[in-house]
Amino acid sequence: MAAAQATVKALDPNNASKGTLKIENTEKRDTLIASEKIYQQQWEQDRIFEANAPSTKEIPVGSISAEELRRKHPKFFGAMAYPYMNGTLHMGHAFTASKVEFSAGVARMQGKRTLFPQGYHCTGMPIKACADKLIREIEIFGQNFEDCPTEEITNGEKDDEVPAPIQGTTKEDVTKFTAKKGKAAAKSVKLKYQFQIMLALGIPIEQIHKFADPQHWLEFFPPLCRRDMTAFGARVDWRRQMVTTDANPYYDSFVRWQMNRLYELGKIKFGKRYTVYSPKDGQACMDHDRQSGEGLGVQEYTALKLKVKEWPETAQRALSGKLPANASVYFVPATLRPETMYGQTCCFVGPKVKYGIFKVIENEYFFVSLRAARNMAFQGIFPEWGVFPQVAELEGSDVVGTLVEAPLSVHKSVRILPMETVKPTKGTGVVTCVPSDSPDDYATILDLIKKSDYYGIKKEWAELEIIPIIETPSYGNLTAKFLVEKMKINSPKDAKQLAEAKDLAYKEGYYQGKMCFGDFKGKSVEEAKPLVRQQLIDANDAFNYAEPEGLVISRSADECVAGHLDQWFMNYGSQGDPAWQQQVLDHVDKDLQLYSAEAKNAFEQTIDWLGQWAATRSYGLGSRFSIDRQWLVESLSDSTIYHSYYTIAHLLHTDIFGVHKGPANVTPDQMTDEVWDYIFTRRDDIKSDIPLEVLQTMRREFEYFYPIDVNISGKDLINNHLTFFLYIHLAIFPRSYWPKGIRVNGHLQLNGEKMSKSTGNFLTLNDAVTKFGADATRVALADAGDGVEDANFEESVADTTILRLFELRKWCEEIVLEARLISSSEEYVHVRDNERIKNTDVIQRNGPKGFWDELFENELNGLVRETIQHYEAAWYKSALKSGFYDFTGARDFYRSSCRAADIGMHQDFTRRYVELQALMLAPVAPHWAEYIWLEVLKKPTTIQNALFPAVPAPSPSLSAAREYIRTTSSAITSAEGAQQKRLAKGKLATFDPKQPKSLTVFCASAFPAWQDRCIELLRGAFDALAVSVDMKALSREVGKAFGKAPEGKKAMPFVQGLKKRLEAGEEEEKVFGRELGFEEVAVLKEMVPGLRQTVMRCQRVEVVRVSEGGKKGQVVAGSGKGVEIGRAVEELPAVAEGAVPGGPTFDFENV
């Protein structure tokens, strides 16, 4: 047990989140969580989230079409890519789930029957591979791994890093973990065995042996997924949950039907094709089978055979006795440009690269890298599958100077020369040189000629004539020379410029080039390329070769190759079924809602490059491939249309494994292909022992909830799962059931950094909900972001939200349940000053509404409409801002305004605020909203069934008045603050803010005449169609109009301001008309009490209406000692002249 104990100590799962926020005082959080648990239990008990189609009794079969049914009874169906069951959900899963969850909440409030189902993906290699590892480890170390020696899992070195396991679904393996014990660093621990990974996931040592049975994974993790989603408050219809694979015979039948129909449609083919292949696993290694290299496909090459005519002495010595006397040895470069082979002048090897000579057939040998030989061994190039007999090993420097025959080249024989940039991980490690069209080759040849002595070669070996092969319109017939000289590339080490030049050369040559040499002279390169390739292959001078596009490591830790296999494959792409591909492209372009241009571009690019895809595998969990039962269906190929299965899952079975029959009382054997066809509307006639009424009920569920409204997933699944989802839906279902929307989100960062257990910056969904509660977690997820760019879950937002929600809940309780009603301002002041009321907000008016009430009501109406718009557009961060943060701001402004006016808030509007706030937060924070709805407002039924409120459009007049108050108040407080800063810096100030003072606000009833003249000139110069102004011409006109008059200095800045408003899209009449929409003096009168409270030590506020010219005025409002309404004021300060309607000025004076 020593090794297990050492692992437990080092790999404490709590270390995974050691770097995250720690919460000390949890009383408020615990109060909120207690309510959340109550409502989650109540919702489940009341079956709130169970959605059903209108029954065939309500609306008889055939009485209306499916489209009419959905119009009459609106529905919403959203889902997320079902998570893989080899671990618990982390915050990345939660972020994706939140998008479905919020969408479902919005749909419910739109009055739609809302379906959010959840299944569990178990198909593929990962679970089986882990289980098999445990079997081997139990055999070696015992059931509880007690015989594993400590030295097996420790490095014996010191390390300061704290250990943490990486989730099984991440792309990189972490093999080394360390731990701290107090201040002293412990020995580092290697994550060498599967049992250690299980310990790191928090599985007790005595339970781990159970996971040697793959079935146990399926029994263990799905309930945890449901637990976490329920604690999150997800609106999931749990009746429809299921596991994939043949562990559920109903789902297994569904997959078999899908494969049968795709085969009949010609969408599944059989034949030899290249695919990424794991020799260790003995099967194709598709994206979900990979530890790293997801998204990488196969690159096909033309492999040339350059026969050795003469070896240099170094090679002869190295090969002595290793090759038969009559052996034919070929250097085998792999090229993507066979059409340029006429211009070969040499062949490159990496001087420090290790190569091998491998026996292909009797007396025929290939000189390639070991990696290339391994690839070839699985492509039928060597006689025996997987075997690549090596007879010799050499360094590239050993063969420099070798004379070889170059197929098609004008130079029949060329030399092997050194190229330091050759990589053994790309191609065969042997590179043929065509300096006419390859900038890399041209630059290297120049370097070799210049430094022949340094490279130890004869200069003439590199000086063979460079002949034109391809004519291009941009670069002539020696493309490489042109680009190297134009881009001033001086050395093969100018990697960045060479990469750019290579890209330019290839694109220009392929798309614009014409052959000017060889058998296909005059043809376009696009035409000639396959012809030259075939010519070389037919002459036995070349063969097909392929390799993975990059390093791919399987989940069994095997470096994958490109295998040329007999296999079943999905016939995707232009090389497979171009009509099918175009159908998918058209759907993406015309009908599919993708929420962002970036997502649409990504789908179009993927559909453009995605090719045939392996449909089967031999190892792992899954369903048998019904066409050829020796195979299993590949894990991404059985996960394309499972959304349709959700529509009837609850009728088929009552448990995730399909052990217990559902209400339909149907067995898996009864679910024939013809029955599936009928349910999914592929046929209207049906012969089955299932009662017709039952079949019609299942079909109704599908017809009603399909098509899926939105499928939500991470953007990394565009390259496979989501694109397959489109392909198969379009192949299987009638057009009216094709998907309506896909939403992709970016990866989720945690606290501004990548989530990683190894750095302690990691949270599972359970961690987050336990730490912050469901609603605070949900709010922080909504705040994290909505685009395809990476989002950020800030724990500080979740922590702050706990306080916000708690305090707002408390305030709502007091304001509604403890209201102290008054009927006048005098009574408000008396109650406030004489009754012992802790929160004076509870002192509320009733009766007629006043100015501040109207303003508040209007602002709430505007925010409600804005929030609903954001929700409907699926912009949850914006909805949170307007429907929560701005809502609170509106309440605070109303509260402070009423306090300042000594009138108290109006009961009708505080209660209206509380109700609207609950409704606006219901999609994101449903537990908080439910508490307010039921416990505070005493509503009879759950808020989960409430609808968005219908509110009138905000009044432009009241909105303009509110903005006027906001900007005017801000300007006054900013001016006061500016004077404080001046005094703090020892500078002179116009008044002392800390001393008693008066405030005078100057407003104007008319605009100055010079502004009217400016507007007249601007109107004449404005081009409404182009939305532009000829400022040069206008500037001349303004100069003529004002000459040297003082107003001339103000005119152009004024005009520039109006111009900006016009160019920003503001309506002409609004800009030119300059109508305020409200009575300015009346608004200022209402503002006076608030200004007296806002301004420090303010003794008096006066509002003066300024006469034309700004020299005289009249006091029209005010408060404080000495204020005389109606008093004429002579000799106003200069600042008064700047007042215009809607733009008051002000003056402070110490008293």
Side-chain angles (χ1 to χ4, degrees), residues 12 100 129 174 274 296 345 375 470-471 480 526 547-548 552 576 630 647 695 828 898 1036 1097:
D12 181 355
V100 192
V174 173
Y274 290 108
L296 296 177
T345 63
N375 269 277
I470 296 170
E471 183 76 42
E526 200 168 355
E547 64 184 25
V552 177
Q630 67 175 309
T647 64
L695 291 169
Y828 172 84
C898 290
R1036 287 194 297 270
R1097 303 194 69 181

Side-chain angles (χ1 to χ4, degrees), residues 238-250:
W238 291 110
R239 297 175 303 162
R240 301 171 190 260
Q241 61 180 330
M242 83 292 182
V243 294
T244 63
T245 76
D246 54 8
N248 183 322
Y250 294 95

